[in-house]
Each structure stands twice: as C-alpha cells, then as structure tokens.
Amino acid sequence: MRYRFTLAALTAATLLAGCAKHSSEDAPNEFAVGPTQINVSHIVTRADDGSNVYLTVDGKDAGELLNGESKLIHVPAGKHKVGGYVPTLFGLGRVTIAPVEITTSPENVKKVAYSVTRNKASFAEHNDAQG
C-alpha cells in the first residue's frame, strides 16, 4: 500500500511541476544592459507550429521570444552562442535548438533570426543585405 502512495505522490509532483509557467521575468537581468546588442527575431513560416521559444545566450536563459516578435539582448563585446529551446507538450522536457555563433561589437547591432523550415528549427545570423 505504501508504494502506491509513493507512486501517486511522485506522479502528482511531476504533473504539477510540468504545469509551471515560464515568464520573461524569469530571465536574469544580465541581458538588459551591455555594450553590444543582439536583435533576435522569430520569423513565422508555414512549417512553424506557433510555439514560443526560450532564448539562451552562451547557455544561459535570456528570456522568451514570442511568435512573430523580436527581442533585444545586451551582451559584452565578443563571441556568443545564441540558441534556445521549446518546452515539450506537457512541460516534462524540452527540445533544444542548436545555437548560432556570432561576434558582437559596439559599432552595430547583430541580427539573428529564428525560423522553422521543413520541420527543422534553426537560428541564423541575418544580414541587412538578405532583406
């Protein structure tokens, strides 16, 4: 009988933990100020399922990127890896999207685009010359 209670308690704890909401306020303020900027855009495509993406910079959470919107991230000058993840359906895991490596400088704002094409999500550096 005791094992049934333990199993029920574990199941309830797992389900409740999966229901926890992420918010952009969960992101540390370290990306709110800095000498260089990265503008990350969520490009909506036909293959996109509409999921919000949680951004990571150098492996640290940097906030939520809403569907079709942009987010400005402030970082020190130098090389950085911009990536992210999408929580799974019941919040019990996540799908990681490979990061793109960029080099920032105070002279210009780096642009990164997140998009889904042919069921593959990716981050890519976006140049003004590309459109």
Side-chain angles (χ1 to χ4, degrees):
M1 182 69 174
R2 189 178 299 200
Y3 71 92
R4 286 184 184 171
F5 176 73
T6 304
L7 183 59
L10 252 146
T11 303
T14 302
L15 290 174
L16 290 174
C19 293
K21 296 275 185 188
H22 285 281
S23 78
S24 57
E25 295 162 4
D26 291 342
N29 286 335
E30 69 182 282
F31 299 110
V33 294
T36 64
Q37 299 176 352
I38 304 169
N39 187 0
V40 186
S41 300
H42 185 159
I43 308 298
V44 179
T45 63
R46 286 182 164 188
D48 198 324
D49 68 356
S51 297
N52 293 341
V53 178
Y54 293 90
L55 294 175
T56 59
V57 176
D58 301 328
K60 298 177 186 175
D61 282 347
E64 186 175 10
L65 182 61
L66 302 176
N67 193 13
E69 295 190 5
S70 297
K71 183 169 186 72
L72 195 60
I73 300 170
H74 299 264
V75 294
K79 289 187 178 187
H80 298 283
K81 290 185 179 184
V82 178
Y85 62 91
V86 177
T88 57
L89 183 61
F90 295 111
L92 299 175
R94 60 183 177 181
V95 177
T96 303
I97 300 120
V100 62
E101 188 171 297
I102 60 170
T103 303
T104 60
S105 67
E107 290 81 33
N108 60 5
V109 175
K110 284 292 184 171
K111 294 180 181 178
V112 174
Y114 165 78
S115 63
V116 180
T117 55
R118 297 184 186 198
N119 296 326
K120 180 167 176 28
S122 64
F123 286 92
E125 188 170 351
H126 184 72
N127 297 323
D128 289 330
Q130 291 175 336

